[in-house]
Amino acid sequence: EVHFVESGGGFVQPGGSLRLSCAASGFTFSGYAMSWVRQTPGKGLEWVSTFGGVGDTYYADSVKGRFTIFRDNSKSTLDLQMNSLRAEDTAVYFCARLFPPRSSIYFDFGGQGTVVTVSS
Amino acid sequence: EIVLTQSPATLSLSPGERATLSCRASQSVNNDLAWYQHKPGRAPRLLIFDASNRATGIPARFSGSGSGTDFTLTISSLEPEDFAVYYCQERTNLWTFGQGTKVEI
């Protein structure tokens, strides 16, 4: 069973930065693409970013140029560096595994998320 | 970019009743569509993938149908723990969620 522990959330002013981290267990981390998905109060679930199995990275238009995704297969961790934060980035951020490995279509969630609040 | 439109926004039902949730895609997604259940403070839970396949451990009262642009999630008889928000999701290019349907008592 996949298990994730997300951390690093907090309260930050607009324009500030945060780095989220996800510790994964229960599966062979290096064999899967990994993503961040957020739940915003008004908009529901929103895909944020994906780090593919071959080093490819993808970002939603809303965060492109501000967020950077990292992974460390040796530690089974996935990070999200968030810069130039805006009020609309306020959300609960979830880490997720993508499956099946060959097409990476669907999300396997397994953690409670970490809360990011951007406010002055 | 594909847009997923879910309806209705809110479904008010009682335990034991049947729930029918709709998800419409702006372009065909073939069968590459999933449904998730989400409760406050919990991780989203995958219910259905490939439009009609139940994920591991999902009760038989949950079923998915449809293909192309029109999909349905049916909960045959609502249990108290089924009251939650439900999302559909696809990946034709990048990953997209619908806006959700809240199933409330």
Side-chain angles (χ1 to χ4, degrees):
Chain A
E1 181 180 337
V2 299
H3 184 61
F4 304 113
V5 178
E6 298 98 339
S7 61
F11 187 97
V12 62
Q13 292 187 333
S17 298
L18 279 176
R19 187 174 180 112
L20 308 183
S21 187
C22 167
S25 60
F27 66 102
T28 303
F29 185 79
S30 60
Y32 292 84
M34 295 292 299
S35 291
W36 287 96
V37 173
R38 66 187 180 186
Q39 188 226 346
T40 58
K43 294 175 66 178
L45 294 178
E46 179 186 16
W47 167 74
V48 174
S49 181
T50 292
F51 200 120
V54 291
D56 45 327
T57 58
Y58 308 88
Y59 299 93
D61 287 344
S62 58
V63 307
K64 198 175 295 182
R66 301 186 298 122
F67 291 11
T68 305
I69 192 169
F70 300 90
R71 70 185 291 164
D72 185 334
N73 288 340
S74 68
K75 297 179 180 178
S76 296
T77 58
L78 181 74
D79 285 5
L80 185 69
Q81 176 66 43
M82 306 188 297
N83 298 330
S84 303
L85 282 161
R86 306 167 180 168
E88 54 264 36
D89 296 318
T90 294
V92 182
Y93 286 73
F94 295 96
C95 177
R97 178 182 77 167
L98 281 162
F99 82 96
R102 68 185 182 286
S103 56
S104 299
I105 300 174
Y106 309 116
F107 299 100
D108 252 337
F109 296 91
Q112 293 194 316
T114 187
V115 179
V116 172
T117 304
V118 185
S119 176
S120 55
Chain B
E1 180 184 338
I2 289 182
V3 176
L4 297 178
T5 302
Q6 292 186 240
S7 62
T10 304
L11 201 50
S12 299
L13 295 168
S14 299
E17 290 192 298
R18 182 183 188 92
T20 304
L21 289 67
S22 174
C23 176
R24 177 163 290 178
S26 57
Q27 303 171 43
S28 176
V29 299
N30 299 312
N31 286 345
D32 296 335
L33 187 112
W35 291 92
Y36 301 83
Q37 177 192 69
H38 194 203
K39 298 179 182 179
R42 308 271 294 271
R45 179 190 184 195
L46 176 68
L47 301 174
I48 302 288
F49 65 96
D50 289 348
S52 60
N53 291 321
R54 270 191 301 277
T56 303
I58 301 303
R61 64 181 181 273
F62 291 93
S63 64
S65 63
S67 66
T69 60
D70 289 295
F71 300 87
T72 300
L73 173 70
T74 301
I75 310 170
S76 59
S77 178
L78 283 164
E79 297 288 337
E81 62 267 28
D82 298 337
F83 292 91
V85 181
Y86 292 83
Y87 296 91
C88 56
Q89 175 258 320
E90 67 85 30
R91 183 217 174 172
T92 300
N93 181 17
L94 298 176
W95 295 264
T96 304
F97 288 91
Q99 83 278 19
T101 289
K102 182 179 182 181
V103 178
E104 64 176 23
I105 298 177

